[in-house]
Coordinates of all heavy atoms in Angstrom, one line a residue:
M18 N 0.8 -1.2 0.0 CA 0.0 0.0 0.0 C 0.9 1.2 0.0 O 1.8 1.3 0.8 CB -0.9 0.0 1.2 CG -1.8 1.1 1.3 SD -2.9 1.0 2.8 CE -2.6 2.5 3.5
T19 N 0.6 2.2 -0.8 CA 1.3 3.4 -0.9 C 0.8 4.4 0.1 O -0.4 4.5 0.3 CB 1.2 4.0 -2.3 OG1 1.2 3.0 -3.2 CG2 2.4 4.9 -2.6
N20 N 1.6 5.1 0.8 CA 1.2 6.1 1.8 C 1.8 7.4 1.4 O 2.6 8.0 2.0 CB 1.7 5.6 3.1 CG 1.2 6.5 4.2 OD1 0.2 7.3 4.0 ND2 1.8 6.4 5.4
E21 N 1.3 8.0 0.3 CA 1.8 9.2 -0.3 C 1.7 10.4 0.7 O 2.6 11.2 0.9 CB 1.1 9.6 -1.6 CG 1.2 8.5 -2.6 CD 2.5 8.4 -3.3 OE1 3.1 9.5 -3.5 OE2 2.8 7.4 -3.8
S22 N 0.5 10.5 1.4 CA 0.3 11.7 2.2 C 0.9 11.6 3.6 O 0.9 12.6 4.3 CB -1.2 11.9 2.3 OG -1.8 10.8 3.0
G23 N 1.3 10.4 4.1 CA 1.8 10.3 5.4 C 0.8 10.2 6.5 O 1.1 10.3 7.7
V24 N -0.5 10.1 6.1 CA -1.6 10.1 7.0 C -1.5 9.1 8.1 O -1.8 9.3 9.2 CB -3.0 10.0 6.3 CG1 -4.1 9.8 7.2 CG2 -3.2 11.1 5.3
F25 N -1.0 7.9 7.7 CA -1.0 6.8 8.7 C 0.4 6.5 9.3 O 0.6 5.5 9.9 CB -1.5 5.5 8.0 CG -2.8 5.7 7.4 CD1 -3.0 5.5 6.0 CD2 -3.9 6.0 8.2 CE1 -4.3 5.7 5.5 CE2 -5.2 6.1 7.6 CZ -5.4 6.0 6.3
D26 N 1.3 7.5 9.1 CA 2.7 7.3 9.6 C 2.7 7.0 11.1 O 3.4 6.2 11.6 CB 3.6 8.5 9.3 CG 3.9 8.5 7.8 OD1 3.7 7.5 7.1 OD2 4.4 9.6 7.4
D27 N 1.9 7.8 11.9 CA 1.9 7.6 13.4 C 1.3 6.2 13.7 O 1.9 5.6 14.6 CB 1.0 8.7 14.0 CG 1.6 10.0 14.0 OD1 2.8 10.1 13.7 OD2 0.9 11.0 14.2
A28 N 0.3 5.8 13.0 CA -0.3 4.4 13.3 C 0.7 3.3 13.0 O 0.9 2.4 13.8 CB -1.5 4.2 12.5
R29 N 1.4 3.5 11.9 CA 2.4 2.5 11.6 C 3.6 2.5 12.5 O 4.2 1.5 12.8 CB 2.9 2.7 10.1 CG 1.8 2.2 9.1 CD 2.3 2.1 7.8 NE 1.3 1.5 6.9 CZ 1.1 1.9 5.7 NH1 1.8 2.8 5.1 NH2 0.1 1.3 5.0
A30 N 4.0 3.7 13.0 CA 5.1 3.8 13.9 C 4.8 3.1 15.2 O 5.7 2.7 15.9 CB 5.5 5.3 14.1
A31 N 3.5 3.0 15.6 CA 3.1 2.4 16.8 C 3.2 0.9 16.8 O 3.1 0.3 17.8 CB 1.7 2.9 17.2
V32 N 3.3 0.3 15.6 CA 3.4 -1.1 15.5 C 4.8 -1.6 15.3 O 5.5 -1.1 14.4 CB 2.5 -1.6 14.3 CG1 2.6 -3.1 14.1 CG2 1.1 -1.1 14.5
D33 N 5.2 -2.5 16.1 CA 6.6 -3.1 15.9 C 6.5 -3.9 14.6 O 5.8 -4.8 14.4 CB 6.9 -4.0 17.1 CG 8.2 -4.8 16.9 OD1 9.2 -4.2 17.2 OD2 8.1 -5.9 16.5
E34 N 7.4 -3.5 13.7 CA 7.4 -4.1 12.3 C 7.6 -5.6 12.3 O 6.9 -6.3 11.6 CB 8.4 -3.4 11.4 CG 8.3 -3.8 10.0 CD 9.2 -3.0 9.1 OE1 9.6 -1.9 9.5 OE2 9.5 -3.5 8.0
D35 N 8.5 -6.1 13.1 CA 8.7 -7.5 13.1 C 7.5 -8.3 13.6 O 7.1 -9.3 13.0 CB 10.0 -7.9 13.9 CG 11.3 -7.4 13.3 OD1 11.3 -7.2 12.1 OD2 12.2 -7.2 14.1
R36 N 6.9 -7.8 14.6 CA 5.7 -8.5 15.2 C 4.6 -8.4 14.2 O 3.8 -9.4 14.0 CB 5.3 -7.9 16.5 CG 4.1 -8.5 17.1 CD 4.2 -8.6 18.6 NE 3.0 -9.1 19.2 CZ 2.8 -10.3 19.5 NH1 3.7 -11.2 19.2 NH2 1.7 -10.7 20.1
A37 N 4.4 -7.3 13.6 CA 3.3 -7.1 12.7 C 3.5 -8.0 11.5 O 2.5 -8.7 11.0 CB 3.1 -5.7 12.2
T38 N 4.7 -8.1 10.9 CA 5.0 -9.0 9.8 C 4.7 -10.4 10.1 O 4.1 -11.2 9.4 CB 6.4 -8.8 9.3 OG1 6.6 -7.4 9.0 CG2 6.7 -9.6 8.1
L39 N 5.1 -10.9 11.3 CA 4.9 -12.2 11.8 C 3.5 -12.5 11.9 O 3.0 -13.6 11.5 CB 5.7 -12.5 13.1 CG 5.5 -13.9 13.7 CD1 6.0 -14.9 12.8 CD2 6.1 -13.9 15.1
T40 N 2.7 -11.6 12.5 CA 1.3 -11.8 12.7 C 0.5 -11.9 11.4 O -0.3 -12.8 11.2 CB 0.7 -10.7 13.6 OG1 1.4 -10.6 14.8 CG2 -0.8 -10.9 13.9
V41 N 0.8 -11.0 10.5 CA 0.2 -11.0 9.2 C 0.5 -12.3 8.4 O -0.4 -12.9 7.8 CB 0.5 -9.8 8.4 CG1 0.0 -9.9 6.9 CG2 0.0 -8.5 9.0
A42 N 1.7 -12.8 8.5 CA 2.2 -14.0 7.8 C 1.5 -15.2 8.4 O 1.3 -16.2 7.6 CB 3.7 -14.1 7.9
Q43 N 1.1 -15.2 9.6 CA 0.5 -16.4 10.2 C -1.0 -16.6 9.8 O -1.5 -17.7 9.8 CB 0.6 -16.3 11.8 CG 1.9 -16.5 12.3 CD 2.0 -16.3 13.8 OE1 1.1 -15.8 14.4 NE2 3.1 -16.7 14.4
G44 N -1.6 -15.5 9.4 CA -3.0 -15.5 8.9 C -3.9 -16.5 9.7 O -3.4 -17.3 10.5
P45 N -5.2 -16.5 9.5 CA -5.8 -15.4 8.8 C -5.9 -14.2 9.7 O -6.2 -14.2 10.9 CB -7.3 -15.9 8.6 CG -7.5 -16.9 9.7 CD -6.1 -17.5 10.0
F46 N -5.4 -13.1 9.2 CA -5.3 -11.9 9.9 C -5.5 -10.7 8.9 O -5.0 -10.8 7.8 CB -3.9 -11.7 10.5 CG -3.7 -10.5 11.3 CD1 -4.1 -10.4 12.7 CD2 -3.1 -9.4 10.8 CE1 -3.9 -9.3 13.4 CE2 -2.9 -8.2 11.5 CZ -3.3 -8.2 12.8
E47 N -6.2 -9.7 9.4 CA -6.4 -8.5 8.5 C -6.2 -7.3 9.4 O -6.7 -7.2 10.5 CB -7.8 -8.5 7.9 CG -8.0 -7.5 6.9 CD -9.3 -7.7 6.1 OE1 -9.6 -8.9 5.7 OE2 -10.0 -6.7 6.0
L48 N -5.4 -6.4 8.8 CA -5.1 -5.1 9.5 C -5.8 -4.0 8.7 O -5.7 -3.9 7.5 CB -3.6 -4.9 9.6 CG -3.1 -3.6 10.1 CD1 -3.5 -3.5 11.6 CD2 -1.6 -3.5 10.0
R49 N -6.5 -3.2 9.4 CA -7.2 -2.0 8.8 C -6.9 -0.8 9.6 O -6.6 -0.8 10.8 CB -8.7 -2.2 8.7 CG -9.1 -3.3 7.9 CD -10.6 -3.4 7.7 NE -10.9 -4.6 7.0 CZ -12.0 -4.7 6.3 NH1 -12.9 -3.8 6.3 NH2 -12.3 -5.9 5.7
I50 N -6.8 0.4 8.9 CA -6.6 1.7 9.5 C -7.8 2.5 9.4 O -8.4 2.6 8.3 CB -5.3 2.3 8.9 CG1 -4.1 1.5 9.1 CG2 -5.1 3.7 9.5 CD1 -2.9 2.0 8.4
T51 N -8.2 3.2 10.5 CA -9.3 4.1 10.5 C -9.0 5.3 11.4 O -8.3 5.1 12.4 CB -10.6 3.4 10.9 OG1 -11.7 4.3 10.8 CG2 -10.5 2.8 12.3
E52 N -9.7 6.4 11.1 CA -9.6 7.5 12.0 C -10.9 7.6 12.9 O -11.1 8.5 13.6 CB -9.4 8.8 11.3 CG -8.0 8.8 10.6 CD -7.7 10.1 9.9 OE1 -8.4 11.1 10.2 OE2 -6.7 10.2 9.2
D53 N -11.8 6.5 12.8 CA -13.1 6.5 13.4 C -13.1 5.8 14.8 O -14.1 5.7 15.4 CB -14.1 5.9 12.5 CG -14.3 6.7 11.3 OD1 -14.1 8.0 11.3 OD2 -14.7 6.1 10.2
A54 N -12.0 5.3 15.2 CA -11.9 4.6 16.5 C -10.6 5.1 17.2 O -9.6 5.3 16.6 CB -11.8 3.1 16.3
Y55 N -10.7 5.3 18.5 CA -9.6 5.9 19.3 C -9.3 5.0 20.5 O -10.2 4.5 21.2 CB -9.9 7.3 19.8 CG -10.4 8.2 18.6 CD1 -11.7 8.3 18.4 CD2 -9.5 8.8 17.8 CE1 -12.2 9.1 17.3 CE2 -9.9 9.6 16.8 CZ -11.3 9.7 16.5 OH -11.7 10.5 15.5
G56 N -8.0 4.7 20.7 CA -7.6 4.0 21.9 C -7.8 2.5 21.7 O -8.3 2.0 20.6
N57 N -7.6 1.8 22.8 CA -7.7 0.3 22.8 C -8.9 -0.1 23.7 O -9.0 0.5 24.8 CB -6.5 -0.4 23.2 CG -5.3 -0.1 22.3 OD1 -5.5 -0.1 21.1 ND2 -4.1 0.1 22.8
F58 N -9.6 -1.1 23.3 CA -10.7 -1.6 24.1 C -10.9 -3.1 23.8 O -10.4 -3.6 22.8 CB -12.0 -0.8 23.9 CG -12.6 -1.0 22.5 CD1 -13.4 -2.1 22.2 CD2 -12.2 -0.1 21.5 CE1 -13.9 -2.2 20.9 CE2 -12.7 -0.3 20.2 CZ -13.6 -1.4 19.9
Y59 N -11.5 -3.7 24.8 CA -11.8 -5.1 24.7 C -13.3 -5.4 24.9 O -13.8 -4.9 26.0 CB -10.9 -5.9 25.7 CG -9.5 -5.6 25.6 CD1 -8.9 -4.5 26.3 CD2 -8.7 -6.3 24.7 CE1 -7.6 -4.2 26.2 CE2 -7.3 -5.9 24.6 CZ -6.8 -4.9 25.3 OH -5.5 -4.5 25.1
L60 N -13.9 -6.0 24.0 CA -15.3 -6.3 24.1 C -15.4 -7.8 24.6 O -15.0 -8.7 23.9 CB -16.1 -6.1 22.8 CG -17.6 -6.3 22.8 CD1 -18.3 -5.5 23.8 CD2 -18.1 -6.1 21.4
I61 N -16.1 -8.0 25.7 CA -16.1 -9.4 26.3 C -17.6 -9.8 26.4 O -18.4 -9.2 27.0 CB -15.5 -9.4 27.7 CG1 -14.0 -8.8 27.6 CG2 -15.6 -10.7 28.3 CD1 -13.4 -8.5 28.9
D62 N -17.8 -10.9 25.7 CA -19.1 -11.6 25.7 C -20.3 -10.7 25.4 O -21.4 -10.9 25.8 CB -19.4 -12.3 27.1 CG -18.4 -13.4 27.3 OD1 -17.9 -14.0 26.4 OD2 -18.1 -13.6 28.5
G63 N -20.1 -9.6 24.6 CA -21.1 -8.7 24.2 C -21.8 -7.9 25.3 O -22.8 -7.2 25.1
E64 N -21.2 -7.9 26.5 CA -21.8 -7.2 27.6 C -20.8 -6.4 28.5 O -21.2 -5.7 29.4 CB -22.6 -8.1 28.5 CG -21.8 -9.3 29.1 CD -22.7 -10.2 29.9 OE1 -23.8 -10.6 29.3 OE2 -22.4 -10.6 31.0
E65 N -19.6 -6.6 28.2 CA -18.5 -5.9 29.1 C -17.5 -5.3 28.2 O -17.1 -5.9 27.2 CB -17.9 -7.0 30.0 CG -16.9 -6.4 31.0 CD -16.4 -7.5 31.9 OE1 -16.9 -8.7 31.8 OE2 -15.5 -7.2 32.7
V66 N -17.1 -4.0 28.5 CA -16.1 -3.3 27.7 C -15.0 -2.9 28.6 O -15.3 -2.2 29.7 CB -16.7 -2.1 27.0 CG1 -15.6 -1.3 26.2 CG2 -17.9 -2.5 26.1
C67 N -13.8 -3.3 28.3 CA -12.6 -2.8 29.1 C -11.9 -1.8 28.2 O -11.5 -2.1 27.1 CB -11.7 -4.0 29.4 SG -12.4 -5.1 30.6
L68 N -11.7 -0.6 28.8 CA -11.1 0.5 28.0 C -9.7 0.8 28.7 O -9.6 0.8 29.9 CB -11.9 1.8 28.2 CG -13.3 1.7 27.6 CD1 -14.1 3.0 28.0 CD2 -13.3 1.6 26.1
E69 N -8.7 0.9 27.8 CA -7.4 1.2 28.3 C -7.3 2.7 28.6 O -7.9 3.5 27.8 CB -6.3 0.9 27.3 CG -6.0 -0.6 27.2 CD -4.9 -0.9 26.3 OE1 -4.2 0.0 25.7 OE2 -4.6 -2.1 26.1
V70 N -6.7 3.1 29.7 CA -6.5 4.5 30.1 C -5.1 4.9 30.0 O -4.2 4.2 30.6 CB -7.1 4.8 31.5 CG1 -6.9 6.2 31.9 CG2 -8.5 4.3 31.6
A71 N -4.7 5.8 29.1 CA -3.4 6.2 28.9 C -2.9 7.1 30.1 O -3.7 7.8 30.8 CB -3.2 7.1 27.7
D72 N -1.6 7.0 30.4 CA -1.0 7.8 31.5 C -1.0 9.2 31.0 O -0.5 9.5 29.9 CB 0.5 7.3 31.7 CG 1.2 8.0 32.8 OD1 0.9 9.2 33.1 OD2 2.1 7.4 33.4
P73 N -1.6 10.2 31.7 CA -1.6 11.6 31.2 C -0.3 12.2 31.1 O -0.1 13.2 30.4 CB -2.5 12.3 32.3 CG -2.4 11.4 33.5 CD -2.2 10.0 33.0
L74 N 0.8 11.7 31.8 CA 2.1 12.3 31.7 C 3.0 11.6 30.7 O 4.0 12.0 30.3 CB 2.8 12.3 33.1 CG 2.0 13.1 34.1 CD1 2.7 13.0 35.4 CD2 1.8 14.6 33.7
A75 N 2.5 10.4 30.2 CA 3.3 9.6 29.2 C 2.2 8.8 28.4 O 1.9 7.7 28.7 CB 4.2 8.6 29.9
P76 N 1.6 9.5 27.5 CA 0.5 8.9 26.7 C 0.7 7.6 26.0 O -0.2 6.9 25.7 CB 0.1 10.0 25.7 CG 0.7 11.2 26.2 CD 1.9 10.8 27.0
D77 N 2.0 7.2 25.8 CA 2.3 6.0 25.2 C 2.4 4.8 26.2 O 2.6 3.7 25.8 CB 3.6 6.1 24.4 CG 4.8 6.5 25.3 OD1 4.6 7.2 26.3 OD2 5.9 6.0 25.0
R78 N 2.1 5.1 27.5 CA 2.1 4.1 28.5 C 0.7 3.9 29.1 O 0.0 4.8 29.2 CB 3.1 4.5 29.7 CG 4.5 4.6 29.2 CD 5.5 4.9 30.3 NE 5.3 4.0 31.4 CZ 5.8 4.2 32.6 NH1 6.4 5.3 32.9 NH2 5.6 3.3 33.6
L79 N 0.5 2.7 29.5 CA -0.8 2.3 30.1 C -0.9 2.8 31.5 O 0.0 2.4 32.3 CB -1.1 0.8 30.0 CG -2.4 0.3 30.5 CD1 -3.5 0.9 29.8 CD2 -2.4 -1.2 30.4
F80 N -1.9 3.5 31.9 CA -2.1 3.9 33.3 C -3.0 2.9 34.0 O -2.8 2.6 35.2 CB -2.7 5.3 33.3 CG -3.0 5.9 34.7 CD1 -1.9 6.3 35.5 CD2 -4.2 6.0 35.1 CE1 -2.2 6.8 36.7 CE2 -4.5 6.5 36.4 CZ -3.5 6.9 37.2
G81 N -4.0 2.5 33.3 CA -5.0 1.6 33.9 C -6.0 1.1 33.0 O -6.0 1.4 31.8
M82 N -7.0 0.4 33.5 CA -8.1 -0.2 32.7 C -9.4 0.2 33.4 O -9.5 0.2 34.6 CB -8.1 -1.7 32.6 CG -6.8 -2.2 31.9 SD -6.8 -2.0 30.1 CE -8.0 -3.2 29.6
L83 N -10.4 0.5 32.5 CA -11.7 0.8 33.0 C -12.7 -0.3 32.6 O -12.7 -0.6 31.4 CB -12.2 2.2 32.5 CG -13.6 2.7 32.9 CD1 -13.6 2.9 34.4 CD2 -13.9 4.0 32.2
D84 N -13.3 -1.0 33.5 CA -14.2 -2.1 33.2 C -15.6 -1.7 33.3 O -16.1 -1.4 34.4 CB -13.8 -3.3 34.1 CG -14.6 -4.5 33.8 OD1 -15.2 -4.6 32.7 OD2 -14.7 -5.4 34.7
L85 N -16.4 -1.7 32.2 CA -17.8 -1.3 32.2 C -18.6 -2.5 31.8 O -18.5 -3.1 30.8 CB -18.0 -0.2 31.2 CG -17.1 1.1 31.4 CD1 -17.2 2.0 30.2 CD2 -17.6 1.8 32.6
R86 N -19.5 -2.8 32.7 CA -20.4 -3.9 32.5 C -21.8 -3.4 32.2 O -22.6 -3.2 33.1 CB -20.5 -4.9 33.7 CG -19.1 -5.5 33.8 CD -19.1 -6.4 35.0 NE -17.7 -6.9 35.2 CZ -17.4 -7.9 36.0 NH1 -18.3 -8.6 36.6 NH2 -16.1 -8.3 36.0
D87 N -22.0 -3.1 30.9 CA -23.3 -2.4 30.5 C -23.6 -2.9 29.1 O -22.8 -2.6 28.1 CB -23.1 -0.9 30.5 CG -24.3 -0.1 30.1 OD1 -25.0 -0.6 29.1 OD2 -24.6 0.9 30.7
R88 N -24.6 -3.7 28.9 CA -24.9 -4.3 27.6 C -25.2 -3.3 26.5 O -24.8 -3.4 25.4 CB -26.1 -5.3 27.7 CG -25.7 -6.6 28.4 CD -26.9 -7.5 28.5 NE -26.6 -8.6 29.3 CZ -26.8 -9.9 29.0 NH1 -27.3 -10.2 27.8 NH2 -26.4 -10.8 29.8
G89 N -25.9 -2.2 26.9 CA -26.2 -1.1 26.0 C -24.9 -0.5 25.5 O -24.8 -0.2 24.3
F90 N -24.0 -0.1 26.4 CA -22.8 0.5 26.0 C -21.9 -0.5 25.1 O -21.4 -0.1 24.1 CB -22.0 0.9 27.2 CG -20.6 1.6 26.8 CD1 -20.6 2.8 26.2 CD2 -19.4 0.9 27.1 CE1 -19.4 3.4 25.8 CE2 -18.2 1.5 26.8 CZ -18.2 2.8 26.1
A91 N -21.9 -1.8 25.5 CA -21.2 -2.8 24.8 C -21.7 -2.9 23.4 O -21.0 -3.0 22.4 CB -21.2 -4.1 25.5
A92 N -23.0 -2.9 23.2 CA -23.7 -2.9 21.9 C -23.3 -1.7 21.0 O -23.0 -1.8 19.8 CB -25.2 -3.0 22.0
R93 N -23.2 -0.6 21.7 CA -22.8 0.7 20.9 C -21.4 0.6 20.5 O -21.0 1.0 19.4 CB -23.1 1.9 21.8 CG -22.9 3.2 21.1 CD -23.3 4.4 22.0 NE -22.3 4.5 23.0 CZ -21.5 5.6 23.1 NH1 -21.6 6.5 22.2 NH2 -20.6 5.7 24.1
V94 N -20.5 0.1 21.4 CA -19.1 -0.1 21.0 C -19.0 -1.1 19.9 O -18.2 -0.8 18.9 CB -18.3 -0.5 22.3 CG1 -16.9 -0.9 21.9 CG2 -18.2 0.6 23.3
R95 N -19.7 -2.2 20.0 CA -19.6 -3.2 18.9 C -20.1 -2.7 17.6 O -19.4 -2.8 16.6 CB -20.4 -4.4 19.3 CG -20.4 -5.6 18.2 CD -21.5 -6.6 18.4 NE -22.8 -5.9 18.2 CZ -23.8 -5.9 19.1 NH1 -23.6 -6.5 20.2 NH2 -24.9 -5.3 18.8
D96 N -21.2 -2.0 17.6 CA -21.7 -1.4 16.3 C -20.8 -0.3 15.8 O -20.6 -0.3 14.6 CB -23.1 -0.8 16.6 CG -24.2 -1.8 16.9 OD1 -23.9 -3.0 16.7 OD2 -25.2 -1.4 17.4
G97 N -20.2 0.5 16.6 CA -19.3 1.5 16.2 C -18.0 0.9 15.6 O -17.5 1.3 14.6
F98 N -17.5 -0.2 16.3 CA -16.3 -0.8 15.8 C -16.6 -1.5 14.4 O -15.8 -1.4 13.5 CB -15.8 -1.9 16.7 CG -14.7 -2.7 16.2 CD1 -13.4 -2.2 16.2 CD2 -14.9 -3.9 15.6 CE1 -12.3 -2.9 15.6 CE2 -13.9 -4.7 15.0 CZ -12.6 -4.1 15.1
E99 N -17.7 -2.1 14.3 CA -18.1 -2.8 13.0 C -18.2 -1.8 11.9 O -17.7 -2.0 10.8 CB -19.3 -3.6 13.2 CG -19.1 -4.9 14.0 CD -20.4 -5.7 14.3 OE1 -21.5 -5.2 13.9 OE2 -20.3 -6.7 14.9
A100 N -18.7 -0.6 12.1 CA -18.8 0.4 11.1 C -17.5 0.9 10.8 O -17.1 1.1 9.6 CB -19.7 1.6 11.6
A101 N -16.6 1.2 11.8 CA -15.2 1.7 11.5 C -14.4 0.6 10.7 O -13.7 1.0 9.8 CB -14.5 2.0 12.8
W102 N -14.6 -0.6 11.1 CA -13.9 -1.7 10.4 C -14.3 -1.8 8.9 O -13.5 -2.0 8.0 CB -14.2 -3.1 11.1 CG -13.5 -4.2 10.5 CD1 -14.0 -5.1 9.6 CD2 -12.2 -4.6 10.7 NE1 -13.1 -6.0 9.3 CE2 -11.9 -5.8 9.9 CE3 -11.1 -4.1 11.5 CZ2 -10.7 -6.4 9.9 CZ3 -9.9 -4.8 11.4 CH2 -9.7 -5.9 10.7
A103 N -15.6 -1.7 8.7 CA -16.1 -1.8 7.3 C -15.6 -0.6 6.4 O -15.3 -0.8 5.3 CB -17.7 -1.7 7.3
E104 N -15.4 0.5 7.0 CA -14.9 1.7 6.3 C -13.4 1.8 6.3 O -12.8 2.6 5.6 CB -15.5 3.0 6.9 CG -17.0 3.0 6.7 CD -17.4 3.1 5.2 OE1 -16.8 3.8 4.5 OE2 -18.4 2.5 4.9
G105 N -12.7 1.0 7.1 CA -11.2 1.1 7.3 C -10.5 0.7 6.0 O -11.0 0.0 5.2
I106 N -9.3 1.2 5.9 CA -8.4 1.0 4.8 C -7.6 -0.3 5.1 O -6.9 -0.4 6.1 CB -7.5 2.1 4.5 CG1 -8.3 3.4 4.1 CG2 -6.4 1.8 3.4 CD1 -7.5 4.7 4.1
V107 N -7.7 -1.3 4.2 CA -6.9 -2.6 4.4 C -5.5 -2.3 4.2 O -5.1 -1.7 3.2 CB -7.5 -3.7 3.5 CG1 -6.7 -4.9 3.6 CG2 -8.9 -3.9 3.8
V108 N -4.6 -2.8 5.1 CA -3.2 -2.7 5.0 C -2.7 -4.0 4.5 O -2.8 -5.0 5.1 CB -2.5 -2.3 6.3 CG1 -1.0 -2.3 6.2 CG2 -3.0 -1.0 6.8
D109 N -2.1 -4.0 3.3 CA -1.6 -5.3 2.7 C -0.2 -5.6 3.0 O 0.2 -6.7 3.1 CB -1.7 -5.2 1.1 CG -3.2 -5.1 0.7 OD1 -4.0 -5.8 1.3 OD2 -3.4 -4.4 -0.3
E110 N 0.6 -4.5 3.3 CA 2.0 -4.7 3.6 C 2.3 -3.8 4.8 O 1.8 -2.7 5.0 CB 2.9 -4.3 2.4 CG 2.7 -5.1 1.2 CD 3.6 -4.6 0.1 OE1 4.6 -3.9 0.4 OE2 3.3 -5.0 -1.1
V111 N 3.2 -4.4 5.7 CA 3.6 -3.6 6.9 C 5.0 -3.1 6.7 O 5.8 -3.8 6.1 CB 3.5 -4.5 8.1 CG1 3.8 -3.7 9.3 CG2 2.1 -5.1 8.2

């Protein structure tokens, strides 16, 4: 994939190249880039969402996790993720 504008340079810099290459090679794996989702989260059993909280003094470090057990919020997160995934740009090469 060509990245003429440099739009995804920060996202690619955040991924360790060796690990990403190994993961993609093991398949089935698909990597997509979007500007419609922020941060990391984990959706568990469709009813629990764990959100990573960045350290305010070192944003590249994990400060903690927020665990929300709310089916309505989990459904909203799932639907939002699915929409962002569908619109995301597929990365063929790392």
Side-chain angles (χ1 to χ4, degrees):
M18 180 175 130
T19 325
N20 186 17
E21 304 281 333
S22 66
V24 172
F25 304 118
D26 288 345
D27 288 345
R29 287 195 173 141
V32 176
D33 175 79
E34 187 172 339
D35 292 335
R36 178 143 175 95
T38 301
L39 176 63
T40 302
V41 170
Q43 290 176 346
F46 180 85
E47 190 169 314
L48 176 64
R49 296 185 185 202
I50 297 174
T51 181
E52 292 185 14
D53 295 332
Y55 307 95
N57 296 321
F58 64 89
Y59 306 89
L60 181 59
I61 303 168
D62 296 333
E64 61 186 46
E65 185 174 356
V66 179
C67 292
L68 302 169
E69 289 187 359
V70 179
D72 183 332
L74 300 176
D77 59 329
R78 294 184 55 199
L79 180 63
F80 179 74
M82 298 284 290
L83 180 61
D84 184 16
L85 302 168
R86 295 179 185 193
D87 180 321
R88 287 179 189 233
F90 180 68
R93 189 173 72 110
V94 169
R95 182 196 62 238
D96 293 346
F98 174 79
E99 288 175 356
W102 181 263
E104 296 295 320
I106 297 170
V107 176
V108 176
D109 294 321
E110 296 179 21
V111 185

